[in-house]
Amino acid sequence: EEKKDDALAVDVAVDVREISSSRGRNAVSLLPVYLTDARAVTKFDPVSAPNGALQLSVAENQMLEDLLVPALRKFSTAAANSNNDGDLGGLFDSDHIYYQPTHGREGLREAMAAYLERIIKLHHGLSLDRDGLVLGAGCNAVLENLCFCLTEPGDTVLLPTPYYAAFEFDLVARAGLNIIPVNTMEFHSKDVDDNGNGTIPQSWYYPNSASLDAAYNKAKEAGSEPKVLLLSHPNNPLGICYPPHVVKECIEWSRKNKIHLVSDEIYAGSVYRKTNDLT
């Protein structure tokens, strides 16, 4: 039996109403019925599905496939050759000209999963659930959509300071959330200076249970329900990475208080290795 880290164990027996917002759950019902039906039926194929349906309720024309795909391939190949980019003649496959899965094409999700597994260095034998990946264009939009699905208007997002200033726009403008800063410095010992030169030690920027409790209570006192702890990791603007014990403490605190932990790791793959004393 595989041994699991207690701090990272996952409890799958969760009521969906406890982890999602009503507006997130209701959004699914807003999809037109014909879109749901279109995805459920077997599409016509002269060989494999001669009795399949020709879907006329969406803007797809399968009868132009044999004309459109070669034209797109010819165009992409000509453009690639003029820019010396190599042969991109296979850029357009036949299934590329139709509506795509909103959570990302299977090949793209597979590539992203492999990339993430390499970045986070998963233990041998472990892998990410491809079906659990949802891809979007732009970190700001993804965060807004995610928090829209996890929170109700007026709920609170806890953000350790300092943080990326545009978070306030991304999470407030349309999602209608409140932001409570998690001020960390006053919850670390001031009589310890790790640097010995009067500068602020990096550890003073680490969130801990005490600083998170203070921000949580501040939100409750203001009449707002804390729902999300948003970490920027590596931190923007500091560029620091939280040590494993800090991340685990945040995970344990979030579980204890039934808070969603969202980790913005847009810079996770941007590691610049030192080459000399100046760079």
Side-chain angles (χ1 to χ4, degrees):
E1 182 178 353
E2 183 182 40
K3 183 179 179 181
K4 295 183 179 179
D5 188 328
D6 291 339
L8 301 177
V10 178
D11 181 9
V12 296
V14 178
D15 187 338
V16 68
R17 292 170 296 183
E18 295 180 357
I19 62 173
S20 62
S21 66
S22 59
R23 57 183 177 178
R25 296 191 299 275
N26 292 339
V28 180
S29 65
L30 299 177
L31 285 173
V33 175
Y34 74 82
L35 283 180
T36 305
D37 293 342
R39 293 169 180 170
V41 299
T42 301
K43 291 184 178 181
F44 169 80
D45 183 273
V47 177
S48 62
N51 295 322
L54 283 173
Q55 184 56 254
L56 302 180
S57 61
V58 292
E60 296 180 343
N61 194 333
Q62 298 180 27
M63 299 181 70
L64 284 178
E65 181 179 306
D66 59 336
L67 298 175
L68 185 58
V69 173
L72 290 172
R73 286 179 174 171
K74 181 179 179 181
F75 171 79
S76 62
T77 302
N81 291 337
S82 64
N83 294 319
N84 297 318
D85 290 333
D87 183 13
L88 295 180
L91 181 62
F92 290 96
D93 291 328
S94 59
D95 64 333
H96 289 177
I97 65 174
Y98 302 115
Y99 284 116
Q100 306 299 317
T102 53
H103 60 303
R105 288 175 56 86
E106 182 179 356
L108 178 59
R109 287 186 287 116
E110 178 65 38
M112 177 59 72
Y115 170 76
L116 291 174
E117 289 169 354
R118 177 170 59 85
I119 290 295
I120 64 180
K121 298 180 179 178
L122 276 183
H123 294 299
H124 179 70
L126 298 178
S127 62
L128 295 176
D129 177 12
R130 273 57 174 167
D131 292 332
L133 289 178
V134 177
L135 306 184
C139 190
N140 295 27
V142 168
L143 281 174
E144 181 189 62
N145 291 338
L146 178 59
C147 288
F148 183 94
C149 293
L150 297 178
T151 63
E152 307 291 353
D155 284 344
T156 285
V157 176
L158 306 179
L159 266 170
T161 57
Y163 57 78
Y164 175 54
F167 281 151
E168 297 187 359
F169 176 82
D170 300 335
L171 304 179
V172 175
R174 290 189 294 186
L177 302 176
N178 298 313
I179 290 179
I180 296 292
V182 179
N183 297 306
T184 60
M185 289 194 180
E186 60 186 285
F187 298 95
H188 290 279
S189 176
K190 294 297 188 295
D191 59 355
V192 177
D193 187 338
D194 296 339
N195 302 307
N197 57 9
T199 60
I200 298 174
Q202 179 173 305
S203 61
W204 287 10
Y205 292 107
Y206 298 163
N208 55 23
S209 295
S211 61
L212 294 172
D213 283 340
Y216 180 95
N217 293 333
K218 185 176 181 180
K220 297 288 281 189
E221 291 169 0
S224 179
E225 191 66 28
K227 286 289 185 67
V228 172
L229 168 58
L230 174 56
L231 300 181
S232 179
H233 184 227
N235 180 275
N236 180 2
L238 295 179
I240 63 174
C241 291
Y242 297 129
H245 75 272
V246 173
V247 176
K248 287 184 178 181
E249 185 172 359
C250 289
I251 292 174
E252 292 167 355
W253 182 89
S254 298
R255 283 194 174 142
K256 176 183 176 182
N257 292 278
K258 295 184 177 181
I259 299 289
H260 293 287
L261 176 58
V262 177
S263 186
D264 175 2
E265 302 183 9
I266 187 63
Y267 297 113
S270 302
V271 178
Y272 297 90
R273 292 171 176 80
K274 188 173 182 178
T275 57
N276 55 54
D277 293 336
L278 299 177
T279 61

